[in-house]
Amino acid sequence: MNTNNPLLTLREKINLINKKIISLLSKRQLLTIEIAKTKLMINHSIRDENREKKMFESLVNIGEKYGIEKKYILDIFNIIIDQSISIQKKFIEKKKNISKKNVSISFLGPKGSYSYYASCEYAIKKNKKIFKKNCSSFEEVFKNIENNSSNIGILPIENSCTGSIFEIYNLLSQYRVFIIEKFKIPIKHCLLGITNANFNTIKTIYSHTQPFQQCEKFIKLFPNWKIKNVESTAAAMKKIAFLQSVNIAAIGSPIGAKLYNLKIIQKNISNKTNNFTKFIAISKKKFLDLNDFSKKIMMTFTIKNESKNFISLFLLFNKYNISINKFELLNISSLKNEKKILLEIKNNFKSFKIEDFLEKIKTFSNHFKIIGLYK
């Protein structure tokens, strides 16, 4: 600070105050955006004239205490309020434009299921508002995509405890849909019941078949419990909440426990502590850019159950230096003398080479279909 020149000293003090004013205006602007978010959420109008009137009256009274003229206060805060309104309008308009990209997502089970959670995660990632369509079966999800009643289907395809969900792969082969994305969701299975339920009162537990398999070790500790399969974990939790009996429990998620107001009797009951499920997003639209090296290609095809065909297939992998991510034989009882193969490879070469490789597979296979190209 310059102590030799009194005018400069005063100006430096003014500069410090100006910086504080700008800092406070910045903080106010951030709060303005939070207000806009809340107004959008509760469908509140941007302008609130009664609120503005009371605020101006209060500001004028405060100004008078500090010897500041009414007109000065009104002029300054009219500019601030106008800017605040402008920020809110721009924010809400931007969000409304994004919401025009709304999608309808089909998934298994009602609100609270892991598939519901995966659908929400997908929508957040894509910055989209979702219209949720809960389905009672995996096949219903596929039908909704094929008949255009949903844009996207979210389906579990593999669990770290129980492996691949073959029903999904079989349906992918049957329906005219394609995998457009693959992502992972942590699975934290819990034993849930009403407030007074405990290990001693429980006689029957409800859940989907997949969670029962994923929590098999825990369930074996209670051999007297009856196992009841329902269409989803959410359906199980909903049943417990409705019946309000200490004799029943469900395997579900911590999120579901909050949604259905259930008590967590035991946390983390999966066979593996780091349990997760891979989900896929499916669409009727086909995205096949074979020049995109960042993506993986998934396909299914059948070959005659003869050793020479398998030898030819693996020689083909070797010739084209194929990087195999997944190779599984799908168990389909209707196939006679044939094996259905699921193959996921990394697209790590030029499109003409991948096309050549795919054509070669087709020469000794039947029912060939690319079911996904995704990151």
Side-chain angles (χ1 to χ4, degrees), residues 107-124 130 132 154 183-188 233-234 253-256 259 279:
F107 59 91
L108 180 68
K111 191 175 181 180
S113 68
Y114 283 107
S115 291
Y116 170 82
Y117 174 58
S119 299
C120 293
E121 287 292 300
Y122 179 84
I124 291 167
I130 60 171
K132 300 176 287 292
I154 300 295
F183 57 101
K184 198 173 2 180
I185 295 290
I187 303 296
K188 298 179 180 178
T233 53
S253 66
I255 296 168
L259 282 171
F279 281 83

Side-chain angles (χ1 to χ4, degrees), residues 125-346:
K125 183 180 176 182
K126 297 296 180 184
N127 202 14
K128 294 177 185 289
K129 182 178 179 182
I130 60 171
F131 293 95
K132 300 176 287 292
K133 288 196 173 193
N134 55 303
C135 302
S136 58
S137 68
F138 290 141
E139 188 164 18
E140 188 180 342
V141 175
F142 281 87
K143 286 179 178 178
N144 282 350
I145 304 302
E146 197 168 73
N147 64 25
N148 298 315
S149 63
S150 283
N151 311 101
I152 302 290
I154 300 295
L155 295 152
I157 200 164
E158 184 181 338
N159 179 262
S160 57
C161 290
T162 55
S164 297
I165 302 171
F166 292 114
E167 183 184 351
I168 302 296
Y169 289 118
N170 292 333
L171 289 165
L172 281 165
S173 300
Q174 295 170 33
Y175 284 85
R176 292 173 296 170
V177 300
F178 303 90
I179 304 170
I180 57 170
E181 195 158 340
K182 205 172 181 183
F183 57 101
K184 198 173 2 180
I185 295 290
I187 303 296
K188 298 179 180 178
H189 290 311
C190 302
L191 184 70
L192 309 172
I194 63 169
T195 305
N196 298 325
N198 56 56
F199 290 116
N200 295 323
T201 64
I202 296 167
K203 293 179 181 178
T204 305
I205 54 172
Y206 294 84
S207 198
H208 186 260
T209 53
Q210 281 288 317
F212 280 135
Q213 292 172 37
Q214 293 163 25
C215 304
E216 189 178 15
K217 291 180 182 178
F218 173 80
I219 294 168
K220 281 183 178 178
L221 298 173
F222 305 92
N224 294 327
W225 286 356
K226 290 181 181 177
I227 306 299
K228 295 285 186 179
N229 291 320
V230 289
E231 59 267 26
S232 68
T233 53
M237 293 183 287
K238 197 172 181 179
K239 191 177 189 75
I240 306 308
F242 176 75
L243 293 176
Q244 288 291 304
S245 170
V246 295
N247 301 132
I248 57 176
I251 294 176
S253 66
I255 296 168
K258 289 180 182 179
L259 282 171
Y260 293 101
N261 197 27
L262 297 175
K263 179 179 78 172
I264 297 177
I265 300 168
Q266 182 67 47
K267 292 181 179 179
N268 300 323
I269 62 172
S270 300
N271 298 339
K272 289 183 179 180
T273 52
N274 185 26
N275 186 16
F276 62 85
T277 293
K278 289 180 182 177
F279 281 83
I280 54 171
I282 61 170
S283 170
K284 198 172 181 181
K285 191 174 180 181
K286 193 174 182 179
F287 301 96
L288 289 181
D289 180 9
L290 296 176
N291 288 303
D292 190 341
F293 302 151
S294 67
K295 294 191 175 181
K296 295 173 184 176
I297 305 170
M298 186 177 282
M299 64 202 80
T300 58
F301 54 90
T302 60
I303 61 172
K304 287 188 177 179
N305 191 18
E306 296 174 4
S307 58
K308 64 178 184 179
N309 288 324
F310 285 93
I311 292 169
S312 298
L313 184 60
F314 283 99
L315 286 173
L316 199 61
F317 294 154
N318 187 57
K319 178 184 175 181
Y320 285 91
N321 193 27
I322 297 295
S323 178
I324 300 172
N325 283 54
K326 193 177 188 68
F327 182 93
E328 286 197 48
L329 297 176
L330 300 179
N331 186 19
I332 301 176
S333 58
S334 60
L335 291 175
K336 292 181 180 180
N337 302 319
E338 278 189 320
K339 290 290 183 184
K340 189 158 198 173
I341 294 169
L342 169 75
L343 178 65
E344 183 185 68
I345 63 173
K346 187 177 178 183

